Each structure stands twice: as structure tokens, then as C-alpha cells.
Amino acid sequence: MLNILLCDDDKSILEKVRSLISNLQKNYKIEFNIDMRTCGDFIFKEKHSYDIAIVDVQMPAVNGLEVSERLKQLNPDIIIMILTSYPAYLDSAMKIQVFRYLSKPIDTERFNRNFLEAVDYYRKISKSIIIEKYDEIFTVKTRDILYIENRKHGSLIVTKYKSYETNKKPAEWYEIINQPNCFVQSHKSYIVNLQNVINFDKSSITFQGANENLMEHCISQRKYAEFKKAFFDFAGGIV
């Protein structure tokens, strides 16, 4: 069973989202425990842990971005979907690694697609790869990978916690990981994990590391437009 938080000061939106999720629950035989809240201040008084949260940005007292930051503290693996009519919040939301951005008024088809993607991602969130180096074997969760860099005799896999020299090329790892919505090419020598991107421009990408952010010049102007489109597709299509 997945624990779902719905947080919006508009009760009609809450009921609409609850109804959509209930229909998906019946159609796909997935069990959800749904907690509905009209204000986000409860999260600083109660220690609730959720698997997926759908949160409005603009709410009285505590806004949705503050709620999302607190939810991440309580469960770093939580999948957060933001409800907003204001794309201007995108930059701030990138920093807390929002999974999808849902526009108001809610489009039923798009909501259903994005929510099922969130459920699917939750199921894959513990996916790992095995890295062999000499006599050592390492297990790495794909969600922790920042980028994969091409090297002369293989590649370098850079994660939030450690880097690994491997004898496989990035293209081989791309096939092994098999998460094309998350892992995209930003440069002829780099494959980037969009799950950990918090900012980018035409010359660099900033990743969220374990203890501090990491900026790398691993994007080319040639790939910029393609990378930007991939990021916004990953983010849910808000531009």
C-alpha cells in the first residue's frame, strides 16, 4: 500500500484529485492510503511519512515548497508532484527535485498519466546496478547516479557519494540502467541523470549531491535544446 498526501487549500481540488486516484485504484488494482489536508502547517507538528505527495504551491500560512522540503526531510525518497498555475515557481521547485508539475485546472488524462508514472517510478526507485572493479563488487542505486562520463578505456560513474571507474562505456550502462526518461545525453561524453539536476544553463549543470551541490561543465551548446526538452518532459511538460 502506498501512502499518498493531498495538500491543497481548495477543497474542490482535493476532491477532484481524490476521485481520480480512487478510479485509478479500482482500474489498476493498486492500494492507496490517502491523507487529505487543506493546510501545510501540520507537517511541522506531526511526523508523517508519505510515499507520494501532491501539493499545491500557493497555500495560506505555509506554501507548498516549504511543505515539500519538510516532506523530503522526513522521507528523502518521497515522490513529490506540485500543483500550480504559476510556472514561475519552477526554478524553486527544481531544487527540491519535484517529480512532476501539474497545471491547474487539472487535466484528467495528463493527471492519470503522470500519477501512474509516479507509481511506476516508486516501484523502480530501489533499482540498482552492479559495478565490478578488479576483485571488488559495488551495488549502486540508479537514483544516486549524477552522471556517467566517457573515459578512454570505459567510463566514470559519479554518484552522490562516490565515483567509480568502470570498463564499460556509457552506452553500455545506458542499456543496463534502462531508464530512458531519467538518463539523457547532455554532451557527446556525458549521460546525465535528470533526477538529480537542480539547475542548468548552456555551459553547466548543477546536481544535488549528498552534502553539497556539484556543478559540472558537462553540457554542450549543441545538446542544450535537446537536453532542455528532455528535462521539461521529465518534469511534466510545464514551460
Side-chain angles (χ1 to χ4, degrees):
M1 179 176 290
L2 297 182
N3 292 313
I4 312 293
L5 170 67
L6 309 181
C7 191
D8 196 306
D9 60 320
D10 186 333
K11 291 183 180 179
S12 66
I13 293 289
L14 283 179
E15 285 301 325
K16 165 89 170 173
V17 174
R18 184 201 60 77
S19 176
L20 290 173
I21 293 176
S22 295
N23 288 336
L24 292 173
Q25 183 171 245
K26 293 173 187 174
N27 294 336
Y28 290 89
K29 294 181 171 54
I30 309 169
E31 291 190 55
F32 301 116
N33 177 38
I34 301 174
D35 184 8
M36 298 197 301
R37 305 279 184 152
T38 56
C39 185
D41 58 359
F42 81 95
I43 203 65
F44 296 98
K45 304 170 187 174
E46 308 168 23
K47 292 188 176 180
H48 287 270
S49 181
Y50 301 94
D51 302 308
I52 299 175
I54 301 174
V55 183
D56 182 25
V57 171
Q58 288 196 315
M59 292 186 293
V62 181
N63 70 44
L65 297 178
E66 293 176 282
V67 172
S68 299
E69 287 178 353
R70 178 59 177 162
L71 289 169
K72 283 275 189 180
Q73 291 171 5
L74 294 171
N75 177 15
D77 295 332
I78 189 172
I79 296 171
I80 294 175
M81 303 172 74
I82 289 290
L83 283 170
T84 180
S85 302
Y86 305 95
Y89 285 103
L90 180 60
D91 286 344
S92 298
M94 282 172 68
K95 295 176 182 177
I96 53 172
Q97 297 178 284
V98 167
F99 181 76
R100 291 290 184 272
Y101 306 86
L102 302 170
S103 299
K104 292 182 180 181
I106 294 172
D107 178 271
T108 297
E109 184 179 341
R110 184 180 171 198
F111 177 87
N112 289 346
R113 182 179 69 253
N114 286 175
F115 186 80
L116 289 173
E117 287 172 350
V119 172
D120 184 58
Y121 177 70
Y122 176 84
R123 289 171 171 166
K124 295 176 180 176
I125 202 168
S126 297
K127 184 172 183 177
S128 300
I129 58 172
I130 303 297
I131 299 175
E132 295 183 55
K133 185 178 180 183
Y134 305 116
D135 294 329
E136 293 185 284
I137 295 177
F138 303 95
T139 301
V140 174
K141 290 184 177 179
T142 59
R143 69 185 181 202
D144 292 333
I145 296 173
L146 304 183
Y147 62 87
I148 303 171
E149 180 184 353
N150 186 49
R151 291 290 177 91
K152 186 175 181 180
H153 299 295
S155 60
L156 179 72
I157 297 180
V158 178
T159 78
K160 290 181 178 182
Y161 310 101
K162 191 176 178 179
S163 297
Y164 303 88
E165 292 276 1
T166 83
N167 58 9
K168 288 185 175 70
K169 285 293 190 178
E172 294 177 83
W173 284 119
Y174 181 83
E175 293 297 324
I176 291 169
I177 292 169
N178 192 28
Q179 292 177 317
N181 292 337
C182 301
F183 286 81
V184 301
Q185 194 171 29
S186 63
H187 182 286
K188 66 179 182 180
S189 297
Y190 292 88
I191 293 175
V192 165
N193 184 3
L194 295 175
Q195 296 171 91
N196 296 311
V197 173
I198 60 172
N199 200 2
F200 64 91
D201 57 30
K202 291 183 178 179
S203 63
S204 64
I205 298 174
T206 303
F207 301 91
Q208 184 172 55
N211 300 312
E212 60 183 18
N213 296 336
L214 175 69
M215 186 179 75
E216 291 291 344
H217 298 285
C218 58
I219 188 169
S220 65
Q221 289 194 13
R222 233 175 122 184
K223 286 283 185 182
Y224 178 76
E226 184 181 335
F227 181 83
K228 182 178 180 181
K229 181 182 184 306
F231 178 83
F232 281 109
D233 286 344
F234 173 78
I238 286 183
V239 295

